[in-house]
């Protein structure tokens, strides 16, 4: 891998006094026998060809500029420059050059300005001396002055000489007086020359000259000179814009005249750089580096002066939060703070830290809470920008504020809930503001930037707060658009597809997609909290309703949410999906999509391919048992046949394990009493149902209970296959969509009942319940769940040697019912 420190661009000055890029390569300094001396070699990074071979002559004037440039002249009309990618590489080569010439590397020019070789090059210039004798400042000499200024730009030493001459003789002010004369006389040619002169002086890159040019006395004339670009048919009207269109608004009167002058100056110089001057070439960027620094330090000074004036800032905050402040005034105050925060980005980290702490102490967050809830769109947009600066600077500061606020305020007026409501209520058809706010929310709830110290666990505290006080506000639109009332209404209408409950409005669909994106982020990063929320609200079922949306991007968001859940390979989630038969809307969407080869098709296939590759046994068994008949015709991918193969391989493994058990272990002598076995099993199922109705317990607690069971219930099914028909008539019947009752706070039973009658189902159809459906087995909920919980629980092992005993026990009311499909 090449050393980036020595990576350079090679430039040469052409006849039009423009810098040509000769290529990019890597520079080295080495002794070249042919040149009889130490030389600079640059080889192209593309093919290793030689871009430059230059002997370091003892008398050549080399100059280092802006830490990453080395410029020199090798012949009268052959100027060269190396632009380094990194300062370290520039320093290394500069030390080699200084070593050859016997100079101290701390110098920026290796030869004195009065070096003979340089004097010879000045012979072409009129009346040259040590500092350059400038032509007299008069109209007839403007062309000569313009030629002089543009000719020196290629030589660092000549630029220095010209800058000193301009500075010492007060030449710039005399030049600007000529501008007024030319403009009064409509002297177009003179005005074009003045444009070239002023532009050239700016490219001299000298702060001392900028101080003169950008003073109150001179700056408007400088702008006037730059209006007369020879390349334009008509001059621009920059002065008219700066004096008439652009208005300086003092939200609170600024009494410090120096501060006011500094603000005016900074705005105008920024305008010159951004609007008036043409976009510089790669090499010319270095000519304007001092101009950029000039603006930068002006902004630092403005922020510091405002920050130190506590009376001024206190008055701004007082008016911002005062109910008596009119809307126009408040808009100006918010825009001031937005500009203030933007300027603060120029501060060093330590100073920026102090700046935001000052704003926090003055009450910026409570003030934002007020203005973000206002009707004025401009005020809300500016407040959002300010909030983004604060979140970017210190999300912990914002989190600490909202947690303290929660102890004193209602949920409705919490800052984060105000932000969520603004996201939900964004009137922009493209939801531009909502997207920005969603990004800020994601930063606030991202555990990666939460602190964890010995005395404070910010992650735990804040996530508890967020899920208790804010999550219901975030999911409200999602739950409202997938409510059970709408499901029941849809069932009454008799639609075959619950499209009526899906948001057909594009803006609503976009909003739900944003909410789903945030919830998907939570699934990935908030394992415990979001798991409880999904289970208790039956959230995945509600999300999958959106698979019916006519907006494919929304259906994909819903599918992505499920994909993230399955990607965790968490058995609690898997049992929840199996129990709710939640693959059905996904498979319906795949079948409805037909033969169309699109993103939805690929995403669904990828979901099942993940299950196959990762060999998630519980989900594989559930899919094959319930949906393989419908999926079998899909042969353009081998995913579903692969799932069936995995399913059968697992059955074979279980049968092999069963046959390898010593016969003595299958003896009745070691068989537990059937009554005791069924009582233990029923107790286990009762405990499982209680867990799901309350909070989710970690998977570790579940695994102990399941260790007493085989890995799969298939072998249990094998040994009882002959007797299943006798038991079926006594079992509670399951609807096509999984008609059993959930114990979550938002029960899905009503929704399931409605859907099972009308929505398309790919699950195996079951006959209606028989007359024995209300037998004694079904008198309590635990037994009902036991009977209907197909695939999510693991059966006990029965052995072939015990068939006779099982036949005798067939009439026992405690006999374990088949976990039928």
């Amino acid at each position: 891998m090449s050393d980036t420190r020595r990576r350079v661009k090679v430039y040469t000055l052409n006849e039009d006094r423009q810098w040509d890029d000769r290529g990019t390569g890597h520079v080295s300094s080495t002794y070249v026998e042919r040149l009889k001396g130490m030389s600079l070699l640059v080889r192209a990074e593309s093919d290793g060809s030689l871009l430059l071979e230059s002997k370091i002559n003892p008398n050549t004037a080399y100059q280092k500029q802006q830490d990453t440039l080395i410029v020199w002249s090798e012949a009268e009309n052959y100027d060269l420059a190396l632009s380094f990618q990194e300062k370290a590489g520039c320093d290394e080569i500069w030390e080699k050059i200084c070593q050859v010439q016997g100079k101290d590397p701390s110098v920026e020019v290796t030869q004195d300005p009065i070096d003979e070789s340089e004097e010879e090059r000045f012979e072409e210039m009129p009346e040259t001396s040590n500092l350059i004798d400038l032509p007299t400042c008069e109209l007839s000499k403007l062309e000569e002055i313009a030629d002089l200024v543009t000719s020196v730009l290629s030589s660092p030493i000549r630029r220095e000489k010209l800058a000193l001459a301009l500075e010492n003789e007060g030449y710039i002010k005399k030049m600007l007086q000529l501008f007024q004369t030319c403009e009064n006389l409509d002297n177009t040619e003179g005005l074009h020359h003045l444009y070239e002169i002023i532009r050239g002086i700016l490219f001299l890159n000298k702060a001392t000259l900028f101080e003169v040019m950008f003073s109150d006395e001179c700056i408007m004339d400088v702008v006037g000179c730059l209006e007369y670009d020879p390349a334009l048919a008509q001059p621009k009207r920059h002065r008219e814009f700066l004096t008439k269109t652009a208005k300086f608004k003092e939200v609170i009167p600024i009494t410090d005249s120096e501060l006011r002058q500094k603000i005016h100056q900074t705005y105008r110089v920024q305008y010159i750089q951004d609007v008036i001057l043409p976009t510089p070439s790669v090499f010319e960027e270095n000519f304007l580096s001092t101009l950029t620094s000039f603006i930068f330090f002006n902004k630092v000074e403005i922020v510091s002066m405002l920050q130190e004036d506590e009376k001024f800032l206190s008055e701004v905050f007082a008016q911002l939060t005062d109910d008596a402040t009119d809307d126009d005034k408040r808009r100006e105050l918010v825009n001031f703070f937005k500009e203030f925060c933007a300027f603060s980005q120029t501060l060093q980290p330590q100073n920026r830290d102090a700046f935001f702490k000052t704003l926090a102490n003055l009450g910026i967050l409570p003030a934002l809470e007020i203005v973000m809830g206002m009707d004025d769109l401009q005020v809300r947009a500016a407040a959002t920008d300010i909030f983004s600066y604060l979140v970017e600077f210190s999300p912990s500061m914002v989190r600490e504020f909202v947690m303290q606020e929660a102890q004193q305020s209602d949920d409705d007026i919490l800052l984060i809930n105000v932000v969520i409501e603004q996201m939900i209520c964004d009137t922009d058809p493209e939801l531009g503001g909502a997207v920005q706010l969603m990004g800020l929310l994601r930063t606030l709830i991202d555990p990666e930037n939460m602190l964890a110290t010995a005395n404070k666990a910010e992650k735990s505290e804040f996530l508890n707060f967020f899920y208790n006080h804010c999550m219901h506000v975030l999911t409200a639109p999602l739950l409202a658009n997938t409510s059970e009332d709408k499901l029941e209404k849809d069932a009454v209408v008799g639609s075959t597809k619950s499209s009526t409950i899906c948001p057909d409005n594009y803006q609503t669909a976009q909003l739900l997609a944003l909410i789903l994106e945030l919830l998907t982020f939570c699934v990935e990063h908030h394992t415990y909290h979001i798991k409880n929320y999904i289970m208790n609200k039956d959230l995945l079922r509600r999300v999958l309703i959106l698979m019916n949306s006519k907006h494919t991007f929304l259906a994909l968001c819903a599918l992505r949410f499920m994909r993230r859940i399955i990607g965790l390979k968490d058995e609690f989630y898997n049992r929840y999906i199996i129990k709710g038969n939640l693959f059905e809307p996904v498979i319906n969407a795949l079948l409805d999509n037909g033969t169309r080869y699109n993103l939805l098709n690929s995403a669904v296939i990828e979901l099942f391919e993940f299950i196959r590759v990762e060999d998630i046994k519980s989900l594989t068994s559930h899919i094959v048992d319930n949906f393989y008949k419908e999926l079998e015709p899909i042969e353009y991918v081998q995913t579903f046949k692969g799932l069936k193969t995995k399913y059968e391989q697992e059955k074979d493994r279980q049968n092999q394990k069963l046959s390898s058990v010593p016969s003595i272990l299958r003896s009745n002598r070691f068989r537990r009493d059937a009554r005791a076995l069924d009582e233990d099993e029923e107790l286990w199922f009762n405990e499982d149902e209680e867990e799901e109705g309350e909070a989710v317990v970690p998977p570790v607690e579940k695994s102990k209970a399941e260790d007493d069971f085989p890995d799969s219930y298939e072998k249990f099914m094998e040994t009882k296959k002959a007797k299943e028909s006798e038991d079926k008539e006594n079992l509670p019947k399951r609807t096509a969509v999984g008609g059993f009752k959930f114990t979550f706070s938002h029960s899905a039973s009503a929704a399931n009942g409605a859907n099972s009658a009308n929505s398309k189902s790919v699950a195996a159809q079951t006959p209606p319940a028989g007359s024995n459906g209300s037998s004694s087995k079904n008198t309590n909920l635990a037994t009902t769940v036991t009977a209907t919980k197909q695939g999510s629980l693991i059966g006990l092992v029965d052995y072939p040697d015990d068939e006779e005993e099982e036949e005798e026990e067939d009439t026992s009311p405690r006999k374990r019912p088949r976990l039928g499909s």
Side-chain angles (χ1 to χ4, degrees), residues 351-411:
N351 296 333
R352 191 160 65 245
D353 188 31
F355 168 79
F356 281 111
K357 283 181 179 176
T358 299
L359 291 187
N361 293 335
L362 289 168
I364 184 69
L365 287 169
L368 280 179
E369 196 169 48
I370 295 172
V371 296
M372 287 186 79
M374 292 182 175
D375 296 331
D376 192 310
L377 291 177
Q378 289 185 356
V379 169
R380 289 212 307 263
T384 300
D385 288 338
I386 297 168
F387 186 63
S388 69
Y389 283 121
L390 294 169
V391 171
E392 181 183 347
F393 165 70
S394 176
S396 291
M397 179 180 76
V398 178
R399 285 192 286 260
E400 185 176 357
F401 168 78
V402 295
M403 284 192 287
Q404 291 175 353
E405 184 188 28
Q407 300 171 5
Q408 306 165 0
S409 307
D410 296 333
D411 286 359

Side-chain angles (χ1 to χ4, degrees), residues 542-699:
R542 305 289 283 272
V543 167
L544 290 176
I545 290 172
L546 301 177
M547 293 291 295
N548 295 312
S549 172
K550 72 176 186 180
H551 300 286
T552 306
F553 71 86
L554 183 57
L556 287 167
C557 286
L559 184 63
R560 188 182 305 118
F561 181 71
M562 184 179 191
R563 173 65 176 81
R564 290 293 181 274
I565 289 175
I566 291 176
L568 297 175
K569 297 189 285 188
D570 185 325
E571 274 305 309
F572 268 83
Y573 276 132
N574 294 346
R575 291 167 57 203
Y576 163 67
I577 290 170
I578 292 169
K579 176 178 177 181
N581 198 30
L582 297 181
F583 277 110
E584 181 177 344
V586 176
I587 293 174
N588 280 339
L590 176 65
L591 298 178
D592 288 343
N593 192 59
T595 58
R596 289 189 292 273
Y597 178 57
N598 52 21
L599 190 55
L600 180 63
N601 174 276
S602 298
V604 174
I605 296 293
E606 191 278 335
L607 173 69
F608 290 105
E609 181 68 12
F610 175 82
I611 294 171
R612 184 191 70 81
V613 171
E614 296 297 325
D615 196 15
I616 305 176
K617 294 180 175 56
S618 57
L619 297 183
T620 301
S621 176
H622 172 70
I623 293 165
V624 174
D625 281 340
N626 292 277
F627 305 111
Y628 188 70
K629 181 179 178 182
E630 286 71 24
L631 297 174
E632 188 175 13
I634 299 177
E635 296 183 340
Y636 53 86
V637 290
Q638 298 302 308
T639 298
F640 302 108
K641 292 192 184 320
L643 283 172
K644 182 69 179 295
T645 302
K646 291 271 187 184
Y647 173 80
E648 291 173 346
Q649 288 173 348
E650 181 62 21
K651 286 180 66 174
D652 291 342
R653 274 196 294 271
Q654 296 301 330
N655 289 335
Q656 289 173 8
K657 283 185 183 179
L658 184 62
S659 61
S660 65
V661 175
S663 59
I664 190 172
L665 295 181
R666 296 197 293 266
S667 168
N668 289 345
R669 177 180 171 191
F670 291 95
R671 175 75 179 266
R672 289 193 297 168
D673 179 69
R675 181 186 303 272
L677 181 142
D678 285 343
E679 286 175 353
D680 287 348
E681 181 184 13
E682 185 171 325
L683 177 61
W684 188 86
F685 279 110
N686 281 334
E687 290 174 349
D688 174 73
E689 195 64 25
E690 289 170 3
E691 286 175 1
E692 294 178 358
E694 298 169 1
V696 176
V697 293

